[in-house]
Amino acid sequence: MARHLLGIEDLSPEQIVGYLDAAERWFEFNRSGDRKASVLRGKTIINLFYEASTRTRTSFEAAGKRLSADVINVSSSGSSVTKGETLRDTARNLQAMRPDVIVLRHQVSGAPHYLARHLHCSIVNAGDGLHEHPTQGLLDAFTIRRMKGKIAGLTVAVIGDVQHSRVARSDAHLLRKLGAHVRFCAPWTLMPKGAEALGVEVVTNLDAALEGADVVIMLRIQRERLVDAMLPSTREYSRTFGLSQRTLARAKKDAIVMHPGPMNRGVEIDDAVADGIQSAVLDQVEAGVAVRMAVLESVAAG
Ligand code: NCD
């Protein structure tokens, strides 16, 4: 198995299915009474997070602990990063403590690849800038496969701030590799240039994106990354690109609605949809722990 998980782009369909199948076993395990396995006993995992996170960080922590690893959480706000230490120095100091895995979230695209080149331990990318968020891609695919029974042949609409979304990129790579048809939908100011090169269909109209979709993935407007007037107003955005019961009716009747979180209710998604019967948002979160157990087990063993 691979020593690192840096992105979906470099994985083969077989490697992806390998992770999903392993996650399936951990998913059932997590639903059992005893959620402690000894596979990573004696291993140390450091979660090094330079950006805010609730789901991803907790999920990696729960995953490591359920596998009996020692898990240490470092967030930039309470660390020497605030004193001006570079990523390289922080990482080299952490490495001196002999961890087996560093899980990194960083605002710079390529930061985990940089650590993978310079450190001896395994690196798992928990989101790098605008680039990739591979475990989110895997948990999204896991959720779709579980709820739809397959991925190949499905139409998946990814809607919102695609420009700033590492989730959109990882999802597109993964779902395309497994044979889904992927549509990106955003106002043109929030659509990355050359998005077609990812093999996706590009649309700038919500109805066109939803038409016949089996899966609808909504994205948050990443205000912290917006540089200038990329958006007219929240109200205008919500009116044209927000998902409501009314607009969702364009998708297939049995379509599922997903969101990586955090949701901005009333902006990209209405309460009625977020909490409705088609919502798979909390299924994604449950899948996240199982997927991260599969990933940590695999990289720590490799
Ligand atoms: C996403 C992220 O950080 O890339 N969240 C997550 O990890 N579930 C999406 C976001 O912040 O909007």
Side-chain angles (χ1 to χ4, degrees), residues 10 54 67 87 108 124-125 144 162 188 200-201 225-226 252 262:
D10 311 319
T54 303
L67 296 175
L87 171 64
V108 175
V124 175
N125 181 0
I144 295 169
V162 179
W188 66 267
V200 302
E201 181 189 347
R225 302 189 212 273
L226 290 185
K252 290 220 179 109

Side-chain angles (χ1 to χ4, degrees), residues 51-52 55-56 105 133 136 166-167 220 222 224-225 260-262:
E51 284 186 342
R55 274 152 294 271
T56 307
R105 167 166 289 192
H133 191 347
Q136 182 74 41
R166 50 201 177 202
V167 176
R220 180 178 68 91
Q222 305 215 1
E224 70 276 26
R225 302 189 212 273

Side-chain angles (χ1 to χ4, degrees), residues 165-185:
S165 180
R166 50 201 177 202
V167 176
R169 248 163 289 266
S170 287
D171 280 352
H173 283 306
L174 197 160
L175 297 169
R176 290 265 305 121
K177 282 177 200 267
L178 297 192
H181 174 69
V182 179
R183 272 182 204 149
F184 275 179
C185 173

Side-chain angles (χ1 to χ4, degrees), residues 101-118:
V101 183
I102 292 181
V103 178
L104 178 70
R105 167 166 289 192
H106 201 278
Q107 63 279 9
V108 175
S109 302
H113 307 69
Y114 174 80
L115 290 197
R117 280 195 303 276
H118 289 94

Side-chain angles (χ1 to χ4, degrees), residues 15-140:
Q15 282 174 303
I16 293 169
V17 171
Y19 281 126
L20 299 182
D21 290 346
E24 206 74 58
R25 292 190 290 278
W26 291 122
F27 187 87
E28 295 308 327
F29 174 85
N30 286 336
R31 287 190 165 188
S32 74
D34 179 7
R35 284 180 279 278
K36 196 81 167 175
S38 58
V39 296
L40 295 188
R41 206 174 152 267
K43 304 272 186 191
T44 302
I45 299 170
I46 297 181
N47 287 327
L48 178 56
F49 276 59
Y50 283 77
E51 284 186 342
S53 174
T54 303
R55 274 152 294 271
T56 307
R57 203 200 52 73
T58 312
S59 182
F60 267 111
E61 183 175 354
K65 287 183 169 166
R66 286 181 187 177
L67 296 175
S68 300
D70 292 307
V71 182
I72 299 164
N73 296 309
V74 182
S75 68
S76 57
S77 57
S79 74
S80 288
V81 172
T82 58
K83 300 179 183 171
E85 190 169 56
T86 62
L87 171 64
R88 183 184 163 92
D89 279 335
T90 301
R92 279 162 52 91
N93 279 271
L94 293 176
Q95 174 172 258
M97 301 176 199
R98 301 197 167 273
D100 298 279
V101 183
I102 292 181
V103 178
L104 178 70
R105 167 166 289 192
H106 201 278
Q107 63 279 9
V108 175
S109 302
H113 307 69
Y114 174 80
L115 290 197
R117 280 195 303 276
H118 289 94
L119 304 187
H120 310 303
C121 61
S122 295
I123 305 296
V124 175
N125 181 0
D128 64 324
L130 308 185
H131 179 228
E132 279 225 44
H133 191 347
T135 57
Q136 182 74 41
L138 288 168
L139 77 88
D140 285 349

